[in-house]
Amino acid sequence: MSVTIHQVAAEAGVSPSTVSNVLNGRSERMLPQTRERVEEAIARLGYRPNGPARQLRTGRSQALGLVVPSVANPFWGTFARHLEAAALQAGYRVLLCNSERDPARERDYLEELWADGIRGVVLCSSLPSLEHVLPLVERGLTLIAFDRTAQAGDPPSLVNISVDNAVGTELATRHLLQLGHRRLALVSGSLHSVNRRARLRGFEAALEEFGLTAADAVVWSGTADHDPAAHGYGDLDFPDLGRSAARELLATGRPPTAIVAINDMCALGIIAGARDAGLQVGTDLSVVGFDDIVLADLATPPLTTVRQPVPAMADAAFAHLRAGIERAGNGGAPGGSLLLRPELVVRSSTGPAPAP
Amino acid sequence: MSVTIHQVAAEAGVSPSTVSNVLNGRSERMLPQTRERVEEAIARLGYRPNGPARQLRTGRSQALGLVVPSVANPFWGTFARHLEAAALQAGYRVLLCNSERDPARERDYLEELWADGIRGVVLCSSLPSLEHVLPLVERGLTLIAFDRTAQAGDPPSLVNISVDNAVGTELATRHLLQLGHRRLALVSGSLHSVNRRARLRGFEAALEEFGLTAADAVVWSGTADHDPAAHGYGDLDFPDLGRSAARELLATGRPPTAIVAINDMCALGIIAGARDAGLQVGTDLSVVGFDDIVLADLATPPLTTVRQPVPAMADAAFAHLRAGIERAGNGGAPGGSLLLRPELVVRSSTGPAPAP
DNA sequence: GTGAAAGCGCTAACAG
DNA sequence: CTGTTAGCGCTTTCAC
């Protein structure tokens, strides 16, 4: 079938263990010429080590897991690409899984990845509780929680990586407030998620700074019907969420003049909804997104949004994952949250508040 | 470490091979009660078979490879999600790789996947020649080429799955012609790809039907600077390509009144470019895309586009892949191209030709 | 400095 | 019907 280490050994006139030593960088234990002969034989035969065999023997895998809500959302696609790039550079591969935000799928995937010998996973889940995957962590899985911050019930060693969501919406909301808007809305969808609640806090904090109260703003969290988490279509419902929200909010007696969206997909939906209602986004209505997906800049009007530093977050996730795997069992990993600072990118979907 | 088949056997009071038989669905060879005892033991111990060991023994892997240009393009993200869904249902996992349209990366990935025991891969590459991966196919890799049609130099067994690109642009172009447009442009980017050339053919065919010649239309294929294939940023340059094209085309003396874009990302770029130039898309200028990504409907104006039947294509890709793997060596696979019919989705980015 | 041997967890003949 | 056995390809002590 495929060429094995034995054939390489025969070709080079050495034993399999010598070949193995070459493969694993233990070349100081042999004559340079021996090493050369082996390397030639490898090249000549086009030998590549058999992954599964290696893994069976060592227990280690060269692959990492990445569980995202859905790669159909460009934000996750972009993150996946950056994580893959970081991993690749260090000789790791990334196995990608779409959870559709379903905890059962999250758990099943982690179980499978574990059974496949994968010992490190980035889980993108902003569920408040991670107890559904706790058993895996106890068995020794290195888990990085992405897009989430530490919670009281977490395993002590858990590393969380996220953008600073509260700072993000605070930046966004302040921007709107500085433009003179006084009737604001936050379109959030269900608030059963750590990061959405943080975004809500940032929104409220900014209002407070400007002396406004909860009564001056509306938080549109939708109904179960609009909640992407509820019916498991992954992230593809955010646009619908935004569109419905815009329809409802704009039909009220005193509609908001500015809307903070929970993410860019949702913001795009809001823009579509505003257009349906005959409003001009950027003048009649201001909209801010969150994420800065590729298409934010291409929207009409180009979307003002809170940029997540995706490359830096991916690098950090990989670095922690790797450290966790390579420490493996030597215990003593200090868990916690890493919150990266977002940046407000002002484009044209926001503008001065229209005269009352 | 983890629980093995031996412990399950001991727990159930049977031999490992009986457990293995249960695991592999050969339960007709044993008493129902034996099977039950084994299943209880499995559940009680929380046993999961060790993937690598299984794979080493059988040579088969429960994973498939998917190599896409870049998941940061929602089209590929969506395709990946659908393929994953189809695979999952049949008990397969999908290993996702981003090639950034670089043939060397395509080859390296396939080599690695092969070494990891993966015997079936969907390669999304529209390069005219697949010789860089031919050795793998000769070794027995089941390869499905996606987004590409058969070429003379292909291995005879190669299965190609693609939308019918020529029909797609023909549909799009006819639509524009029927709306009265007579000065058209195709923004294609580099034509070194099978599917883009097919799209060009469809464009020309429609012109011909309406009695127009090549002189009535311009094909904007950009410069190397604008070619996503050339500098390996994956698919993220398509918007730039479109934007540059719009800028240049609209600055000419007799600008086109309608543009066919090579894909939706590019169309979005064109819309942005038209906006930069102060034109109203849908009235002053009509734009048609290709793919129907999630965001096409959310664009301003909503994008008229050629929809690729992604779920059906993903199902077909998986079915062929599986057939190829399971046939494995029994030879006799009949290669060829499967072209699925696209559908024109008319939204508001196209409208009647403006009066001259 | 190099080789022989054992075995990772599992499957599939083949015996019993 | 169930158990015994012999590896899959590789790494890693431990001898030489």
Side-chain angles (χ1 to χ4, degrees), chain A residues 237-260:
Chain A
D237 284 344
F238 281 120
D240 282 346
L241 179 80
R243 209 160 187 162
S244 309
R247 194 170 19 243
E248 288 190 19
L249 290 170
L250 299 173
T252 56
R254 264 179 107 244
T257 62
I259 301 183
V260 177

Side-chain angles (χ1 to χ4, degrees), chain A residues 294-295 297-298, chain B residues 187 189 220 222-223 225-228 231 233-248 263-273 276:
Chain A
V294 203
L295 297 156
D297 184 38
L298 255 41
Chain B
V187 172
W220 198 90
T223 62
D225 265 8
H226 300 115
D227 182 9
H231 37 67
Y233 297 163
D235 278 22
L236 264 25
D237 284 344
F238 280 119
D240 282 346
L241 179 81
R243 209 161 188 162
S244 310
R247 194 168 19 242
E248 288 191 19
N263 62 30
D264 285 350
M265 295 287 271
C266 177
L268 262 15
I270 293 172
I271 292 180
D276 295 345

Side-chain angles (χ1 to χ4, degrees), chain A residues 1-2 46 48-53 55-56 59 63 69-74 76-78 80-81 84-85 88 93-100 105 108-117 119 139 232-234 236 239 243 265 268-269 271-272 275 293-295 297-302, chain B residues 1-2 46 48-53 55-56 59 63 69-74 76-78 80-81 84-85 88 93-100 105 108-117 119 139 232-234 236 239 243 265 268-269 271-272 275 293-295 297-302:
Chain A
M1 170 94 160
S2 235
R48 303 209 96 196
N50 174 307
Q55 199 173 319
L56 175 57
S70 168
V71 271
N73 177 340
W76 296 117
T78 302
R81 214 174 61 86
E84 191 196 4
L88 218 53
R93 245 137 292 136
V94 174
L95 198 55
L96 187 104
C97 314
N98 294 286
S99 69
E100 311 294 333
R105 288 189 62 163
D108 290 352
Y109 265 128
L110 293 207
E111 288 278 3
E112 274 181 15
L113 292 170
W114 177 263
D116 278 354
R119 294 297 171 259
R139 264 185 267 170
Y233 297 162
L236 263 26
R243 209 160 187 162
M265 296 286 273
L268 261 15
I271 292 181
R275 189 185 57 218
I293 59 176
V294 203
L295 297 156
D297 184 38
L298 255 41
T300 305
Chain B
M1 173 92 162
S2 235
R48 304 209 92 194
N50 175 307
Q55 198 173 319
L56 174 57
S70 168
V71 271
N73 177 339
W76 295 117
T78 303
R81 212 174 62 86
E84 191 196 4
L88 217 53
R93 244 137 293 134
V94 175
L95 197 56
L96 185 104
C97 314
N98 293 287
S99 70
E100 312 294 333
R105 290 189 60 164
D108 290 352
Y109 266 128
L110 293 206
E111 288 279 4
E112 273 181 15
L113 292 171
W114 176 263
D116 279 353
R119 295 297 171 259
R139 264 185 268 169
Y233 297 163
L236 264 25
R243 209 161 188 162
M265 295 287 271
L268 262 15
I271 292 180
R275 188 185 58 217
I293 60 177
V294 203
L295 298 155
D297 183 37
L298 255 41
T300 306

Side-chain angles (χ1 to χ4, degrees), chain A residues 123-288:
Chain A
L123 176 63
C124 302
S125 167
S126 35
L127 296 169
S129 160
L130 249 36
E131 48 177 339
H132 57 300
V133 298
L134 224 87
L136 275 300
V137 176
E138 276 157 10
R139 264 185 267 170
L141 180 71
T142 295
L143 188 69
I144 305 290
F146 189 87
D147 197 32
R148 177 179 185 282
T149 47
Q151 303 296 302
D154 291 350
S157 69
L158 184 71
V159 174
N160 293 270
I161 296 181
S162 168
V163 76
D164 192 324
N165 287 292
V167 167
T169 38
E170 195 171 338
L171 249 26
T173 312
R174 262 196 208 166
H175 167 65
L176 261 11
L177 260 3
Q178 281 161 355
L179 286 167
H181 294 275
R182 286 299 177 271
R183 291 204 308 282
L184 307 192
L186 171 71
V187 172
S188 69
S190 147
L191 287 164
H192 297 310
S193 113
V194 174
N195 63 2
R196 292 197 206 162
R197 283 206 280 255
R199 291 181 193 182
L200 171 59
R201 274 201 309 281
F203 179 69
E204 294 174 335
L207 293 177
E208 205 169 315
E209 284 171 46
F210 279 72
L212 301 187
T213 66
D216 301 302
V218 18
V219 175
W220 197 92
S221 55
T223 62
D225 264 8
H226 300 116
D227 182 11
H231 36 66
Y233 297 162
D235 278 22
L236 263 26
D237 284 344
F238 281 120
D240 282 346
L241 179 80
R243 209 160 187 162
S244 309
R247 194 170 19 243
E248 288 190 19
L249 290 170
L250 299 173
T252 56
R254 264 179 107 244
T257 62
I259 301 183
V260 177
I262 203 71
N263 63 28
D264 285 350
M265 296 286 273
C266 176
L268 261 15
I270 293 172
I271 292 181
R275 189 185 57 218
D276 296 345
L279 292 184
Q280 183 96 19
V281 172
T283 54
D284 303 332
L285 177 73
S286 288
V287 177
V288 193

